[in-house]
Amino acid sequence: MAPSEIDRLIQQLARLPGLGPRSARRTALYLLQRREQSLLPLAEALSRAAERIRPCHVCGNLDDSDPCRICRDRERDLSALCVVEEVGDLWALERSGAFKGHYHVLGGCLSALDGRGPEQLNLDSLWQRARDPAVKEIVLALSATVDGQTTAHYLAERLAGLPVQVTRLGQGVPVGGDLDYLDDGTLLAAFSARRPA
Amino acid sequence: MAPSEIDRLIQQLARLPGLGPRSARRTALYLLQRREQSLLPLAEALSRAAERIRPCHVCGNLDDSDPCRICRDRERDLSALCVVEEVGDLWALERSGAFKGHYHVLGGCLSALDGRGPEQLNLDSLWQRARDPAVKEIVLALSATVDGQTTAHYLAERLAGLPVQVTRLGQGVPVGGDLDYLDDGTLLAAFSARRPA
């Protein structure tokens, strides 16, 4: 018997992160039983997203306009450029409100294990943007993983000759972090970054 | 600033069961970064489901044909009718392979708390189908909850005058169930349903 439209829907849902076959079935049923309130609006939102959302050619962010609304925002600080690995990191920083400048999304980080070298990353336009005389500081907001820190090191070296200040995020105890549960690496980093109380 | 298409997509995803705002964001990003492999196929599957999947007018199952493929299947046992609360229960029984007859989906169960009486359930057609001379047994596969058992009791009473055998699912220790973790009600049911070893 040919797989029905329901099976096809369940298959597609089961491929989403965090949804297994069981929750995909539950989700499909939920949607099918709420055709007007849930199924149609979600289908519409996905179609519109597929149609309109594109990477910003300036920074690599995803938005329904190109340049994206962050690149177009004239109220933002033109002198600061924050380099992140992925769009999700950009969203996290935006939610935090920690940064009011512009972004540059690398599209990943260098990884010997995954065979990802500089040519796979969105770097050519970073070298160009770093040469903009308006840019005074480049914040390397990369993951505190081996690959993230390797990438940060590589970028810091390549940017060293330019008249911009290159900075990294501070490392230490996360807010709400219980010392007892922190790993040794974080404790070491927090100790070397200690400040007068 | 108007909410972007991305926000709209995240809002719709966050309404799905088991997805909070955080996993909705993660899912939206996953989809947007896999436009061809995930976003478009999911949008297509949802649109087709919205367009084609309807309740079966005979049994209440959801399918892309009406009558559904179970009602149309001539290999299935016409003499047995299994009454379930929801389509999800029908799917669970189909996966188990426990039953080879036809189904009748009530669309819920009686509930004093939720103010759901017999007139809210798909009952008129059940009384009709129960009068079909081909039907010899009606299995009440309802939840082992207070509402489910109230509904089963109500149905058993209403069907008592007809020349069909009305049965219920057996109760007891679930397969793989550890006695130590079972509730008192299940242990009581298992004890009264004990059989020669």
Side-chain angles (χ1 to χ4, degrees), chain A residues 5 25 35 48 50 95, chain B residues 5 25 35 48 50 95:
Chain A
E5 298 295 341
R25 280 197 301 269
R35 191 171 180 276
R48 286 168 67 111
R95 284 197 302 279
Chain B
E5 298 294 341
R25 279 197 302 268
R35 191 171 180 277
R48 286 168 66 111
R95 284 196 302 278

Side-chain angles (χ1 to χ4, degrees), chain A residues 177-183:
Chain A
D178 189 332
L179 283 204
D180 203 13
Y181 288 94
L182 289 179
D183 60 296

Side-chain angles (χ1 to χ4, degrees), chain A residues 31 39-40 69-70 103 110 117 128 138 141 145 152 156 158 167 177:
Chain A
L31 288 168
L39 178 53
L40 288 174
R69 57 190 67 202
I70 292 177
Y103 290 94
L110 300 176
Q128 278 194 346
I138 296 183
T145 58
R158 288 288 309 261
T167 57

Side-chain angles (χ1 to χ4, degrees), chain A residues 140 142 147-159 168:
Chain A
L140 303 177
L142 304 178
D147 285 347
Q149 294 308 299
T150 306
T151 311
H153 191 77
Y154 170 82
L155 294 179
E157 274 200 342
R158 288 288 309 261
L159 296 168
R168 297 191 191 195

